[in-house]
Amino acid sequence: MKNIYEALVEIMGERGVSNRPEEIWFYGRDPGVLPPHPPDYVVAPETTEQVQKVVQLANREKIPVVPMGNGMALTGLVIPLKGGIVMDMKRMNKILEVNEMARYVVVEGGTSQGMLKAHLRDHYPRLRHSLPDAPPTTTIAANVSLHGQGCLTQQYGFNSDMVSGLEVVLPTGELCKIGSPSLGPYWFSKGPSLPDLSGLFLGWLGTTGIFTKVGLKLYPNKKIREMEIFVTDKAELVPEIIYKLTHLEMLEDLIAWFQPKPLMFKDNYHLTIYFTGDSEKEIEFKRTMIWDALQEFIDNKDGGFMNVQAMKPNLMENPQRGIAAFADVPRGGGFEYSGPITLIELYPQFAAKVVELAEKYDVIYSSAARVISGGHSMMFSISFAFNRADPAMMERVKKALDEATEYALKMGGIPWKPNYMEQKMTMDHMDPNTLKLLRMIKKNLDPHGIMNPGNWEPAP
Amino acid sequence: MEYARQIEHADIVHRCFRCGYCKFPEDYVDFNCPSYKAFGWDTFSPGGRMWLIRAWLNKELETSPHFSRILYSCVACGNCKDQCVYPRFKDYLLNVFEEAKAELVNEGRIPPEVRDYFKAVSVNGNPYKQPQEERGQWADGLGLKEFTDQEYLFYVGCVGSYDEVGQRMARSVGQLLSETGVSIGILGKEETCDGHEVKVLGETGLFTALAEENIMKFKKKGIEKIITLDPHALNVFRKDYPKLRGNFEVFHYTEILSQLIRNNQIPLSNYQAKVTYHDPCYLGRHNLILEPPREVLKGLPGIELVEMRRKGLSAFCCGGGGGNFFTDMVGSGENNPARIRIKEALDTGAEIVAVACPQCAKMLDDAIKSEGQEDWLEVLDLSELVNRVRSK
């Protein structure tokens, strides 16, 4: 393997490649519960040309390549299951273009969510993007490659739906532009009115190519952002509450959450309702509409709006630091979640399952369901915190998550950012012809199976 | 022989989630961890260090020159402890890094640059390997008196005593304080190293010896109040000397200057200049002295203060902290933190970068040269700027 290292140094320079034990150890794991597996090399490209050359080398030598953002999917998607090269994309973090009138941005493949947020605030205060609740170090490319969600998902769909063009290094090393940038200088459409080739890459978890540029739609940044929290102790009412709220077509974001600690939250279901406006008049109008929409639940004593003043600073943060802080509840530095995409009407069943699993495996839970696209579906997170210094607890969390995924599939849901075992469960449930198509596409794009191998692969 | 690695805070190291909030300033505008910015590997970020230290304590990783570089390239700027999202954990991040370095010292597996630093301080009493007799030469011709019974000891530290840029700054501050009637005395050739960098680099034994010697000396001379030139000295006098029963009232010179300006005790004329201010980490983040330097600048007629994008608690370190001023484990090149900081200063359109730390002054001065910007930008300490505005 010495020649491979030398070839990588030739492409990357000394600063861009490592096979030292420290980087090999670190880049062989993520913060979730899956066991690590070491890469043979880690590279950190600064240019598209470097990405291409490394992929060409890997394709020629049949070496696995695993693209990585900040590694916060938590489901082992950046663990190099078969060794090879981990490609840390974060040095490619330039914001290349903002088209203010067409409301889109073009970023390099390692640009972080936080830097884009800061850039827009500094230079384009009228625009915003759909920031996920993940830490700001997570990258835009990684987020869309796994169909991430964000604060505008209720309005506009998955963050991957907001992609407005891609530049991808294919597993064979060719550079390919997807959507309007394939025809000209503009990045306003990832597909329509062409055949939407972005579907060959979005959601494939880095198994069909490496994003070197992402075009992303931006949205109006209203002057005022506000929130309310509606509380009910009846899980069975949550779907109807969401239905009435989404009927308004006024909300920025809508999240239904429950957790047992602190005790003031126990046995209640909370709906955090975010809305925006350009004037106090607009805000008050929307607030009134929201209150009116839920008045019948208040009249029936099934729920009410809670005082949010104490919680507001934390809940208005974007991203919310408190979400990462869940990892420290057992004083142990970890949490992981199964986040199936499913129907909102199944909320009560999923909520019951969370509590059942937490009791069965003796783990600490938290759940937050984000409404997607005005109520067509939700991402229902089943989160369990663990203590990294307690291997037995980590194993219990792993089993609880496996069972949660089995349950989600049984209920007709789709696992979100599934780990390699959940992918296999998913493929087992999949229509055979759909699976055949998936394999055919993957085989054609990646004939040597070098891209993030072990993922979206059939059992040997 | 099997060596059992131990650090005081080993029981919390696993609590790092490596979420990466620690890499950023409060508003996420750019990576704010200088060593991560310089090296570009996650292993050089605070979370990377925590995870590697855990693996190293568990014997999953061996001590190596690269591991030592990862630890010693931390500039101890404290951005990570401010941005980490875990209460009751984040307060100990820097302790963990310092303890791991101390354990490397115990193992005898430290980088040559760090070893040489310790040797120089141990043998010569300063990292410059200069004679102790020459320690007070920075004050020659200023008329500053040895400390006897003045209100304050003016402590300049190793950089102020021996480094050319530091000496210039020490002379300027000393002269200004003296001429404006502040009752100060100096230790001259009796002054010894405060030990701050020795401690941060993990040589706890040498640090304790230096600190105890200083404390004894200060007490013997009846010193109760100290004005420091260097925020690093301020930090160690305020935070660590009390643990060794060295309790003194410690000020940074910018705090005294701001009082003098506020009370109109310095006659000022006018000096037209656009100035940006670089917050030293040990003044700002570590001791929350953010406003006094700015009050000085705002009180100077003709001076327009233009802030850099990262300022105050989100300021980007010059890269000299954590002993790197002497050991330079961060290295040079385009990703050198001081060069990045100078580019940020240039973006403001300022013609002067005002500083309040001799280590920052030297780092940024060098960076201006590396960037070839000597004709456009100069580094001045706050007292030098005040001297330009003073009525002659």
Short mmCIF file of all heavy atoms in Angstrom, two decimals, chain B residues 72-97:
data_model
loop_
_atom_site.label_atom_id
_atom_site.label_comp_id
_atom_site.label_asym_id
_atom_site.label_seq_id
_atom_site.Cartn_x
_atom_site.Cartn_y
_atom_site.Cartn_z
N TYR B 72 0.15 19.83 21.50
CA TYR B 72 0.90 21.07 21.72
C TYR B 72 0.57 22.17 20.72
O TYR B 72 0.95 23.32 20.92
CB TYR B 72 2.40 20.78 21.75
CG TYR B 72 2.84 20.28 23.11
CD1 TYR B 72 3.11 18.94 23.32
CD2 TYR B 72 2.95 21.15 24.18
CE1 TYR B 72 3.50 18.48 24.57
CE2 TYR B 72 3.33 20.71 25.43
CZ TYR B 72 3.60 19.37 25.62
OH TYR B 72 3.97 18.94 26.87
N SER B 73 -0.13 21.84 19.66
CA SER B 73 -0.54 22.91 18.74
C SER B 73 -1.82 23.60 19.22
O SER B 73 -2.26 24.57 18.61
CB SER B 73 -0.74 22.36 17.33
OG SER B 73 -1.76 21.39 17.33
N CYS B 74 -2.41 23.10 20.29
CA CYS B 74 -3.55 23.81 20.89
C CYS B 74 -3.02 25.13 21.43
O CYS B 74 -2.05 25.16 22.19
CB CYS B 74 -4.16 22.98 22.02
SG CYS B 74 -5.31 23.92 23.04
N VAL B 75 -3.67 26.23 21.05
CA VAL B 75 -3.18 27.54 21.48
C VAL B 75 -3.87 28.01 22.77
O VAL B 75 -3.66 29.14 23.21
CB VAL B 75 -3.36 28.61 20.37
CG1 VAL B 75 -2.53 28.23 19.16
CG2 VAL B 75 -4.83 28.77 20.00
N ALA B 76 -4.70 27.13 23.34
CA ALA B 76 -5.36 27.42 24.61
C ALA B 76 -6.13 28.74 24.58
O ALA B 76 -6.23 29.42 25.60
CB ALA B 76 -4.33 27.43 25.75
N CYS B 77 -6.66 29.07 23.41
CA CYS B 77 -7.36 30.36 23.28
C CYS B 77 -8.67 30.38 24.05
O CYS B 77 -9.19 31.44 24.38
CB CYS B 77 -7.59 30.69 21.82
SG CYS B 77 -8.74 29.57 20.97
N GLY B 78 -9.24 29.19 24.29
CA GLY B 78 -10.45 29.11 25.09
C GLY B 78 -11.73 29.25 24.29
O GLY B 78 -12.82 29.24 24.86
N ASN B 79 -11.63 29.36 22.95
CA ASN B 79 -12.86 29.45 22.16
C ASN B 79 -13.72 28.21 22.38
O ASN B 79 -14.95 28.30 22.50
CB ASN B 79 -12.51 29.58 20.68
CG ASN B 79 -13.75 29.66 19.81
OD1 ASN B 79 -14.41 30.70 19.77
ND2 ASN B 79 -14.09 28.59 19.12
N CYS B 80 -13.08 27.06 22.48
CA CYS B 80 -13.83 25.80 22.64
C CYS B 80 -14.63 25.78 23.93
O CYS B 80 -15.78 25.35 23.94
CB CYS B 80 -12.89 24.60 22.55
SG CYS B 80 -11.48 24.66 23.64
N LYS B 81 -14.03 26.24 25.01
CA LYS B 81 -14.77 26.20 26.28
C LYS B 81 -15.95 27.17 26.26
O LYS B 81 -16.97 26.93 26.89
CB LYS B 81 -13.85 26.45 27.47
CG LYS B 81 -13.52 27.89 27.73
CD LYS B 81 -12.73 28.08 29.01
CE LYS B 81 -12.09 29.45 29.05
NZ LYS B 81 -13.00 30.58 28.88
N ASP B 82 -15.83 28.24 25.51
CA ASP B 82 -16.94 29.18 25.42
C ASP B 82 -18.07 28.64 24.54
O ASP B 82 -19.24 28.92 24.77
CB ASP B 82 -16.48 30.52 24.84
CG ASP B 82 -15.83 31.39 25.89
OD1 ASP B 82 -15.71 30.92 27.04
OD2 ASP B 82 -15.42 32.52 25.57
N GLN B 83 -17.73 27.87 23.52
CA GLN B 83 -18.74 27.45 22.54
C GLN B 83 -19.29 26.05 22.77
O GLN B 83 -20.33 25.69 22.21
CB GLN B 83 -18.17 27.55 21.13
CG GLN B 83 -17.73 28.94 20.72
CD GLN B 83 -18.82 29.99 20.93
OE1 GLN B 83 -20.01 29.71 20.74
NE2 GLN B 83 -18.44 31.18 21.35
N CYS B 84 -18.62 25.24 23.56
CA CYS B 84 -19.10 23.88 23.85
C CYS B 84 -20.50 23.97 24.46
O CYS B 84 -20.79 24.88 25.24
CB CYS B 84 -18.14 23.19 24.82
SG CYS B 84 -18.70 21.59 25.41
N VAL B 85 -21.36 23.02 24.11
CA VAL B 85 -22.77 23.12 24.55
C VAL B 85 -23.03 22.37 25.86
O VAL B 85 -24.17 22.34 26.32
CB VAL B 85 -23.73 22.61 23.46
CG1 VAL B 85 -23.63 23.44 22.22
CG2 VAL B 85 -23.49 21.14 23.15
N TYR B 86 -22.00 21.78 26.44
CA TYR B 86 -22.24 20.95 27.62
C TYR B 86 -21.81 21.64 28.91
O TYR B 86 -20.63 21.74 29.21
CB TYR B 86 -21.51 19.61 27.49
CG TYR B 86 -21.97 18.86 26.28
CD1 TYR B 86 -21.12 18.60 25.22
CD2 TYR B 86 -23.30 18.45 26.17
CE1 TYR B 86 -21.57 17.95 24.09
CE2 TYR B 86 -23.75 17.80 25.05
CZ TYR B 86 -22.88 17.55 24.01
OH TYR B 86 -23.33 16.92 22.89
N PRO B 87 -22.79 22.10 29.69
CA PRO B 87 -22.44 22.75 30.94
C PRO B 87 -21.77 21.76 31.89
O PRO B 87 -22.01 20.56 31.82
CB PRO B 87 -23.80 23.21 31.50
CG PRO B 87 -24.84 22.52 30.72
CD PRO B 87 -24.22 21.99 29.46
N ARG B 88 -20.97 22.27 32.76
CA ARG B 88 -20.24 21.48 33.76
C ARG B 88 -19.24 20.51 33.13
O ARG B 88 -18.67 19.68 33.78
CB ARG B 88 -21.19 20.71 34.70
CG ARG B 88 -22.06 21.62 35.55
CD ARG B 88 -22.97 20.84 36.45
NE ARG B 88 -23.89 20.01 35.71
CZ ARG B 88 -24.99 20.44 35.14
NH1 ARG B 88 -25.33 21.70 35.22
NH2 ARG B 88 -25.78 19.62 34.47
N PHE B 89 -19.09 20.58 31.84
CA PHE B 89 -18.09 19.79 31.14
C PHE B 89 -17.12 20.74 30.43
O PHE B 89 -15.91 20.60 30.52
CB PHE B 89 -18.79 18.88 30.12
CG PHE B 89 -17.87 18.28 29.09
CD1 PHE B 89 -17.02 17.25 29.41
CD2 PHE B 89 -17.86 18.76 27.78
CE1 PHE B 89 -16.17 16.70 28.46
CE2 PHE B 89 -17.02 18.22 26.82
CZ PHE B 89 -16.18 17.19 27.17
N LYS B 90 -17.74 21.74 29.79
CA LYS B 90 -16.93 22.64 28.97
C LYS B 90 -15.90 23.41 29.80
O LYS B 90 -14.84 23.76 29.29
CB LYS B 90 -17.81 23.60 28.20
CG LYS B 90 -18.66 24.53 29.02
CD LYS B 90 -19.53 25.32 28.08
CE LYS B 90 -20.18 26.51 28.71
NZ LYS B 90 -20.86 27.32 27.70
N ASP B 91 -16.21 23.64 31.06
CA ASP B 91 -15.28 24.40 31.90
C ASP B 91 -13.94 23.69 32.06
O ASP B 91 -12.96 24.31 32.46
CB ASP B 91 -15.90 24.62 33.28
CG ASP B 91 -17.18 25.42 33.19
OD1 ASP B 91 -17.35 26.13 32.19
OD2 ASP B 91 -18.02 25.31 34.11
N TYR B 92 -13.93 22.39 31.79
CA TYR B 92 -12.70 21.61 32.05
C TYR B 92 -11.97 21.20 30.77
O TYR B 92 -11.00 20.46 30.84
CB TYR B 92 -13.05 20.38 32.88
CG TYR B 92 -13.72 20.74 34.18
CD1 TYR B 92 -15.08 20.55 34.35
CD2 TYR B 92 -12.98 21.32 35.22
CE1 TYR B 92 -15.71 20.91 35.53
CE2 TYR B 92 -13.60 21.69 36.40
CZ TYR B 92 -14.96 21.49 36.55
OH TYR B 92 -15.57 21.86 37.72
N LEU B 93 -12.44 21.67 29.63
CA LEU B 93 -11.78 21.29 28.37
C LEU B 93 -10.29 21.62 28.39
O LEU B 93 -9.45 20.77 28.09
CB LEU B 93 -12.44 22.02 27.19
CG LEU B 93 -13.80 21.55 26.71
CD1 LEU B 93 -14.28 22.46 25.59
CD2 LEU B 93 -13.70 20.13 26.21
N LEU B 94 -9.99 22.86 28.76
CA LEU B 94 -8.58 23.26 28.74
C LEU B 94 -7.77 22.53 29.81
O LEU B 94 -6.59 22.26 29.62
CB LEU B 94 -8.45 24.78 28.90
CG LEU B 94 -9.02 25.62 27.74
CD1 LEU B 94 -8.83 27.10 28.01
CD2 LEU B 94 -8.39 25.24 26.42
N ASN B 95 -8.45 22.21 30.92
CA ASN B 95 -7.76 21.43 31.95
C ASN B 95 -7.34 20.08 31.40
O ASN B 95 -6.23 19.60 31.64
CB ASN B 95 -8.67 21.21 33.16
CG ASN B 95 -9.06 22.50 33.82
OD1 ASN B 95 -9.76 23.31 33.22
ND2 ASN B 95 -8.61 22.71 35.05
N VAL B 96 -8.27 19.44 30.66
CA VAL B 96 -7.96 18.13 30.10
C VAL B 96 -6.75 18.21 29.17
O VAL B 96 -5.84 17.39 29.25
CB VAL B 96 -9.20 17.56 29.35
CG1 VAL B 96 -8.81 16.32 28.55
CG2 VAL B 96 -10.31 17.23 30.32
N PHE B 97 -6.74 19.22 28.31
CA PHE B 97 -5.62 19.36 27.36
C PHE B 97 -4.31 19.59 28.13
O PHE B 97 -3.27 19.03 27.80
CB PHE B 97 -5.86 20.50 26.38
CG PHE B 97 -7.12 20.34 25.56
CD1 PHE B 97 -7.82 21.44 25.10
CD2 PHE B 97 -7.60 19.08 25.25
CE1 PHE B 97 -8.99 21.29 24.35
CE2 PHE B 97 -8.77 18.91 24.50
CZ PHE B 97 -9.46 20.02 24.05
#
